[in-house]
Structure formats: C-alpha cells, structure tokens
Amino acid sequence: MDALDVARWQFGVTTVYHFLFVPLTIGLSVLVAILQTMWLRTGNERYLKLTKFYGKLFLINFAMGIVTGIVQEFQFGMNWSDYSRFVGDIFGAPLAIEALLAFFLESTFLGLWIFGWDRLPKRVHLACIWAAAIGSTVSAYFILAANSWMQNPVGYRINPESGRAELTDFVAVLTNKVALITFPHTIFGCFLVAGSLIVAVAVWHLVRRPDNPDADTYRFAARFGATVTLLATAGVLATGDIQSKIMTEVQPMKMAAAEGLYETESPASFSVLTVGSLDGSRELFALKIPYLLSWLSTGDVNGEVHGINDLQAQYTAQYGPGSYTPIIPVTYWSFRLMIGFGLAAAAIAVWTLWAHRRGRTPTSKWLLRAALVMPVLPLAANCFGWIFTEMGRQPWIVFGEMLTRDGVSRSVSLAEVLTSFTAFTLVYATLAVVEVRLLVRYARHGLPDTDPPEPDPTDHDDEDKPLAFAY
C-alpha cells in the first residue's frame, strides 16, 4: 500500500459519505416547496403540517451535507495537487459559479425561509423555499458539469509549456453531452430518495398507530411519496437508457467493463447475474437476456458492442503500453446493484399505493419493515451509481488525458494521508450517528401543531416572542 492507494480510498469514502446527504437535500427541498405551494393554493392545514414536518428533516440533512462537502475541496489540495494543477483552469469556472451563485442562492433564501414564518408575506415566504430549491438543483448542475469534463473532456487545449489543461470554450463545458444527460439522471435519483423517505416516515406512523388523529395526513403523505418515487423511477430509467448510449460512445471501455464483455459481440446479451473468477476474467455461469446489451449500448438490438480485449489493444496503440481495464468485478456489480436497489424501492412504492387503495390504512408489519428499509435502497443505488461512474473511468482521472496515478500529490507521505484518512473516517462516523439520531428523533415526533398560540395580553414586545420555526 502506498500514498496513492490510501488517497484513493480516502476520496472514495469521503465522497460517497457526502453523497448520502446530497440526493435527500435536493429532492426534499423541491418536495417541501411543492407541499407549501399546495398549502398556499388550497389553505388546507395538512399541507402546512407536512411542509413543516418534512422541512425539519430537510434542514437537518442540509446542514450535515454542507459540513461533509467542505472536505472534498481539502482533498483536492492535499492529496491531489497534481490533478488540481492540471485541471484548475477548467474546474475553477463551474465550481466558482456553484459557490458564488448556487450555494449563495440556496443558503441565503433558506435562512429567510427558516426565520420568515409568520414574518414574511406568505407568497414571499414561499418564493424563498423555491429559490433555495432552485439553488440546490443549479448547484448540482455545475458540479456535474465539472465531473462530466473528467468523463468526456471538451472545450480545452493542453498548454505544451505548462502541461496544463486550459479552458477555450466554457459553453462547451456546460453543454457537454455527458453533463446534459447526467444532470436529469441524478436529479431523478434525488427524488427517488426523497419520495422514499416521505413514504417511510408516513407508513411508520400509520402502522404503529392507525387511530392517529393525523392519519388522513399521513395517508396522503404515503401516497404522495410513493407517487414521487414511481415517477422518479421512470425518469431514472429513461435518462439512464440515454446515458448508457452516450457512455458507450465516449467511454466504450466502461460499458464493456459493466458487462464484463471481453470479446466484441453483435448482437450482445445483458447478463442479469454472472458467477465468475474473482478478477472477472472468466465466466462460470451467467443468466443473460439476449439483445439487451446491444439495445442499451447502441439503440439497435443487433448493434455491435466492443469487448475489453479489442478496446485494450486500441488504447495501447493510442496511449502506449499499460492496462486500461477497470476492476471488472467492481464495475460489474456496482452497475447491477445501482439498478437493483432502485427497482426495489419502486416495488415498495407500488406496495404502498396498493395498501392505501380506496382510503385504506395499512396495518401490515411486513409493509412497515419494507418501508423502513425503503430510504436506504435508493441511497445505496445512488452511491453504487457514483462508484460505477468513477471506477469505470479508471485508470483515467481525466479520460484520455491524465492517469489517476499522475494526479496524486508527490509531496504527501503515506503517513500523512493515513492520518487524514483516519481522522476524517472517525469524524464522519460520529457525524453519521448524530445525523441518524436527529432524523429519527424528529421523525418519531410526528406532525407539528400548526394552530397559532393564544395571544398573551401582557406581551407587547414582538421581539421577545419565540421564533415561529426555530429548532
């Protein structure tokens, strides 16, 4: 083990940990805004209760996401300084806009939303949560644009004197076809997570206490969350289909690795399950669906899909001697776990809608168990999606331009990387316990009382009143 190995593990651990918060934050921000809009348009108090209830969970998650996101920038500087030097001119623009515009937008208006209850006009207050939600979503786009440049570099030139990548066309970076399809795919994944959380909390309250005075509101929340989950699943599948074809076009090795396809085939089958050697080089048993891989890769059921051996020979001729094959078992199984966990969440959403048909209240303990697991499934799907995206690009850190081993900091020792890795892992483990306990505590507390407090005739100083929406 050397500094490169530990730096890669550290980046993987901290990035996946941070991404546990991102989908829920983006998805819940929009869904809370929708619930508040429904309250403003109808005046129905149940929408107000749900807005405040799920708004608390959103705020807890938002705060934790910020704390863990800051570490990413620290890593670029400490562990990946050669990479930062190479891509700094490209990454600087989208990440600066993300920080100055999107993050400013979401943070500022989220603060106004938190403290603006009963102080701002209702429409202005509603605009604040929508501005925060738009800021979160726009923030995701600029980060995905930067990442997509690593998958498919465009709009740049290599300076022969400095050896750095320099930006020549910022519009090309923002309209990178990988970014344009990755963005909606990721956003639908966010709604999948948020919808699942809403279902889990609502079903938990309903099954444990069917005579709950807020049962009608929880029934609506369960149906609302399940519907969002199913719509998001459809969106994920549709955008994922387009994304797989673009991936095959710009990174054919990643698609070949996702299938463990060593020889070029036409037509090519998709394997649902494969049992093979530990390194993925030999197949012992496989359950396959004919023509499906050709369709996913090319849009033609008889389309040709290049195998790992042919692509390895092509890259060797193009880039020189070396291995250009990702770790096959990791890419193969992360691709299937991403799909499998997402579909499992959708199946529970269908079950939830069936259990609530014609105004029924679910009582099944099995539905309760499934609902409690439900938010974990799309979170795992999102994480495995990112693991597949990043591991499938290896050994490149910038595809076709820079190998991962060339991006690590040369001046950082193994002991230093191990120290920071251990420290961050311990801090993150502590934060995970805090996050889960806070979410469970507020989720168990149930819907808030939205009736206005009785006025105190002796109180004439508005500044001494408790905040309407403070935690």
Side-chain angles (χ1 to χ4, degrees):
M1 179 179 293
D2 55 18
L4 172 61
D5 295 327
V6 182
R8 295 179 70 173
W9 271 106
Q10 180 174 334
F11 193 85
V13 169
T14 54
T15 302
V16 168
Y17 185 83
H18 172 61
F19 202 66
L20 293 175
F21 303 98
V22 174
L24 189 56
T25 296
I26 294 175
L28 266 186
S29 67
V30 176
L31 297 185
V32 168
I34 290 174
L35 288 169
Q36 187 171 345
T37 303
M38 295 168 73
W39 169 61
L40 190 63
R41 290 180 64 86
T42 65
N44 192 323
E45 288 295 308
R46 75 177 180 185
Y47 301 133
L48 177 59
K49 288 185 176 183
L50 292 174
T51 299
K52 293 193 172 186
F53 180 52
Y54 288 106
K56 288 181 180 178
L57 305 182
F58 159 62
L59 292 176
I60 294 169
N61 199 71
F62 177 81
M64 296 294 284
I66 292 176
V67 173
T68 57
I70 294 172
V71 176
Q72 311 305 313
E73 298 177 6
F74 167 79
Q75 286 187 98
F76 285 138
M78 177 177 176
N79 294 345
W80 301 98
S81 59
D82 282 11
Y83 162 77
S84 300
R85 194 174 297 111
F86 179 72
V87 303
D89 194 59
I90 310 292
F91 265 40
L95 294 187
I97 295 175
E98 189 271 334
L100 295 175
L101 175 63
F103 185 66
F104 173 80
L105 191 67
E106 66 179 322
S107 300
T108 302
F109 284 97
L110 189 58
L112 291 172
W113 184 73
I114 293 171
F115 299 106
W117 286 94
D118 300 328
R119 296 171 186 268
L120 293 174
K122 289 183 178 179
R123 292 185 181 278
V124 174
H125 187 251
L126 175 63
C128 290
I129 187 62
W130 274 112
I134 292 171
S136 298
T137 307
V138 172
S139 173
Y141 184 79
F142 286 107
I143 292 174
L144 289 172
N147 180 270
S148 296
W149 188 85
M150 298 163 66
Q151 314 288 340
N152 181 41
V154 293
Y156 74 106
R157 75 180 186 95
I158 301 296
N159 187 324
E161 297 181 358
S162 64
R164 299 174 65 246
E166 296 182 350
L167 184 66
T168 59
D169 188 347
F170 186 51
V171 175
V173 174
L174 293 183
T175 57
N176 188 337
K177 55 186 173 184
V178 176
L180 292 179
I181 191 59
T182 301
F183 175 68
H185 188 67
T186 305
I187 296 301
F188 280 124
C190 297
F191 287 125
L192 192 58
V193 176
S196 297
L197 179 73
I198 290 176
V199 170
V201 177
V203 170
W204 186 81
H205 281 283
L206 277 174
V207 175
R208 289 186 72 253
R209 194 180 167 192
D211 60 343
N212 192 312
D214 290 315
D216 285 343
T217 303
Y218 285 124
R219 274 195 291 270
F220 167 80
R223 294 195 302 272
F224 176 72
T227 303
V228 169
T229 301
L230 290 176
L231 292 175
T233 302
V236 166
L237 293 175
T239 54
D241 178 62
I242 301 172
Q243 192 178 30
S244 67
K245 293 170 176 59
I246 293 177
M247 180 178 71
T248 305
E249 179 185 341
V250 301
Q251 292 179 302
M253 180 64 88
K254 185 185 286 186
M255 177 54 86
E259 179 58 28
L261 183 71
Y262 278 84
E263 303 298 334
T264 299
E265 292 185 9
S266 175
S269 303
F270 178 84
S271 63
V272 178
L273 172 68
T274 296
V275 178
S277 55
L278 290 178
D279 61 357
S281 62
R282 188 163 54 89
E283 174 186 306
L284 302 177
F285 168 79
L287 178 62
K288 297 186 176 182
I289 302 176
Y291 304 105
L292 183 55
L293 183 60
S294 287
W295 168 259
L296 291 175
S297 303
T298 66
D300 181 350
V301 294
N302 293 308
E304 181 181 76
V305 183
H306 293 286
I308 294 171
N309 292 336
D310 288 344
L311 292 169
Q312 170 64 30
Q314 175 188 328
Y315 290 166
T316 300
Q318 186 174 355
Y319 302 113
S323 173
Y324 299 94
T325 304
I327 303 174
I328 300 302
V330 174
T331 51
Y332 181 90
W333 285 109
S334 58
F335 188 60
R336 279 148 188 80
L337 291 172
M338 171 187 69
I339 299 172
F341 282 130
L343 292 179
I348 298 174
V350 172
W351 187 2
T352 301
L353 287 178
W354 174 256
H356 287 81
R357 67 191 185 281
R358 300 175 184 173
R360 299 183 184 185
T361 298
T363 56
S364 170
K365 298 295 182 183
W366 284 106
L367 176 61
L368 174 61
R369 296 185 182 101
L372 291 179
V373 175
M374 189 176 173
V376 179
L377 298 174
L379 269 179
N382 275 268
C383 291
F384 280 113
W386 270 112
I387 290 172
F388 168 71
T389 299
E390 300 304 296
M391 292 297 292
R393 189 183 61 234
Q394 300 304 315
W396 300 103
I397 195 169
V398 178
F399 187 77
E401 293 291 353
M402 187 180 207
L403 295 169
T404 303
R405 69 182 181 218
D406 296 331
V408 72
S409 301
R410 301 175 188 177
S411 59
V412 178
S413 66
L414 173 60
E416 290 170 331
V417 184
L418 270 175
T419 301
S420 62
F421 180 33
T422 304
F424 281 127
T425 302
L426 291 175
V427 171
Y428 278 5
T430 305
L431 289 176
V433 174
V434 174
E435 160 85 0
V436 171
R437 292 189 64 174
L438 283 174
L439 285 177
V440 171
R441 175 183 174 185
Y442 281 100
R444 294 182 64 176
H445 191 267
L447 296 175
D449 183 8
T450 56
D451 294 331
E454 293 292 332
D456 184 353
T458 63
D459 183 7
H460 301 291
D461 188 357
D462 289 344
E463 294 182 356
D464 293 335
K465 288 182 177 179
L467 294 174
F469 199 66
Y471 307 106

